């Protein structure tokens, strides 16, 4: 008997938050989560750049909560490697190193190769149709040069597949990795980076529709390789003479 697919409702799993005691009039877990989700979304949609200072009082004023709750949210984001906390500098959006970037994509490749192989065998026709709907949303965002929407939808494509497989742990892990990938892209993506992710997503879904697991895995691996390749992870050491030579 085939498994009935669950309705696709959650695209990006909510960040995990710990139980904390609220001040009067505040619901701590929900307030903390709201701050975490807002900052995470701003990073994914490229509205918060690496190194941006996150002033506790300013965030508290924006969300109308205490600085204690803001601090709890920043601590959560720090554990998720999206924020760095330093005694003298306070909180800032993280600036991942080149080595961290390589490791993130290595882990994504391992996880998503196994995920897409399973998806080729298990996703129902209804779920594949939902993926097609997601692709149409991606295409619309690309065509109208909606940078924030396009970035979010292209990233969520990967989490959507994990969610469809019914593995919440995988979806949460992948959501964290995709968000960190977005932060990495902010720092290292070249200005000539090809915007072929949508076309590659279409090819992956085509392979899933054919139930061609081998092709789907190869296409996913190529896709992740292309994303990583378009990052400037091997910056050239500048030549002083060439840098200072007047241009004609």
């Amino acid at each position: 008997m085939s498994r009935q697919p669950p309705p696709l409702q959650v695209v990006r799993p909510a960040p995990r938050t710990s139980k904390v005691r609220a001040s009067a009039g505040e619901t701590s877990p929900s307030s903390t989560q709201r701050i975490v989700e807002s900052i995470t979304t701003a990073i994914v949609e490229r509205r918060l750049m690496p190194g941006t200072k996150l002033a506790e009082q300013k965030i508290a004023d924006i969300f109308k909560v205490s600085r204690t709750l803001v601090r709890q949210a920043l601590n959560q984001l720090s554990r998720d490697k999206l924020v760095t906390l330093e005694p003298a500098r306070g909180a800032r959006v993280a600036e991942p190193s080149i080595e961290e970037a390589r490791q993130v994509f290595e882990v994504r490749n391992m996880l998503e190769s196994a995920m897409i192989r399973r998806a080729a065998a298990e996703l129902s026709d209804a779920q594949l149709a939902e993926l097609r709907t997601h692709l149409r949303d991606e295409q619309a965002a690309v065509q109208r040069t909606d940078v924030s929407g396009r970035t979010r939808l292209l990233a969520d494509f990967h989490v959507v597949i994990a969610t469809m497989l019914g593995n919440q742990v995988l979806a949460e892990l992948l959501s964290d990795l995709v968000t960190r990938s977005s932060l990495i892209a902010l720092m290292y993506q070249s200005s000539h980076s090809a915007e072929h992710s949508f076309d590659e997503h279409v090819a992956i879904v085509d392979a899933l529709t054919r139930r061609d697991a081998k092709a789907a895995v190869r296409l996913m691996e190529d896709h992740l390789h292309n994303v990583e390749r378009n990052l400037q992870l091997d910056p050239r050491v500048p030549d002083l003479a060439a840098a200072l030579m007047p241009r004609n």
Side-chain angles (χ1 to χ4, degrees):
M1 177 179 291
S2 61
R3 178 172 59 85
Q4 290 295 321
L8 181 59
Q9 297 177 336
V10 179
V11 171
R12 182 173 297 277
R16 296 175 295 281
T17 54
S18 57
K19 291 184 178 180
V20 286
R21 187 166 56 189
S23 302
E26 295 178 336
T27 304
S28 178
S30 61
S31 298
T32 302
Q33 182 174 335
R34 186 159 52 97
I35 298 169
V36 169
E37 290 178 345
S38 295
I39 293 175
T40 300
T41 300
I43 290 172
V44 170
E45 296 184 354
R46 304 186 179 189
R47 291 182 280 110
L48 273 180
M49 301 297 289
T52 301
K53 183 174 177 58
L54 301 170
E56 286 185 6
Q57 187 57 58
K58 188 169 185 177
I59 295 173
D61 292 341
I62 291 170
F63 289 93
K64 296 180 173 53
V65 297
S66 69
R67 291 182 62 175
T68 298
L69 294 186
V70 174
R71 197 169 299 120
Q72 291 164 352
L74 294 175
N75 283 333
Q76 171 65 43
L77 290 163
S78 175
R79 291 193 294 272
D80 292 340
K81 307 298 183 184
L82 297 181
V83 165
T84 55
L85 301 176
E86 299 180 17
R89 300 179 66 196
R92 293 179 182 271
V93 178
E95 299 177 89
S97 67
I98 288 173
E99 181 56 30
E100 180 182 345
R102 290 196 174 108
Q103 290 177 8
V104 166
F105 277 95
E106 181 181 4
V107 174
R108 282 193 63 182
N109 190 65
M110 288 187 290
L111 281 176
E112 296 195 54
S113 293
M115 176 189 76
I116 208 69
R117 182 179 293 107
R118 182 180 159 195
E122 296 186 18
L123 291 189
S124 68
D125 291 342
Q127 288 173 318
L128 291 171
E130 290 187 66
L131 274 180
R132 296 285 183 190
T133 299
H134 187 91
L135 290 178
R136 286 195 293 273
D137 292 340
E138 286 185 20
Q139 185 179 36
V142 168
Q143 290 177 340
R144 66 175 180 265
T145 62
D146 175 5
V147 176
S148 63
R150 176 188 66 200
T151 301
R152 174 178 50 79
L153 287 164
L154 290 173
D156 281 346
F157 172 80
H158 301 262
V159 185
V160 166
I161 296 174
T163 303
M164 285 179 168
L165 290 173
N167 189 323
Q168 185 65 16
V169 173
L170 174 62
E172 289 177 352
L173 285 173
L174 199 51
S175 179
D176 291 343
L177 288 168
V178 165
T179 301
R180 290 174 70 175
S181 297
S182 297
L183 186 55
I184 289 164
L186 284 172
M187 290 190 64
Y188 299 113
Q189 194 166 51
S190 70
S191 58
H192 301 292
S193 175
E195 296 181 358
H196 296 317
S197 288
F198 166 70
D199 291 332
E200 291 171 345
H201 287 177
V202 171
I204 290 168
V205 175
D206 287 344
L208 293 177
T209 302
R210 298 192 306 270
R211 306 297 176 180
D212 189 341
K214 185 175 180 180
V217 170
R218 175 179 56 78
L219 288 165
M220 179 63 82
E221 290 175 346
D222 288 347
H223 170 54
L224 294 174
H225 174 73
N226 289 338
V227 174
E228 184 177 6
R229 185 182 60 187
N230 286 328
L231 304 177
Q232 294 178 331
L233 298 183
D234 294 296
R236 293 176 297 174
V237 176
D239 178 80
L240 185 60
L244 299 179
M245 186 70 67
R247 296 181 179 179
N248 294 330

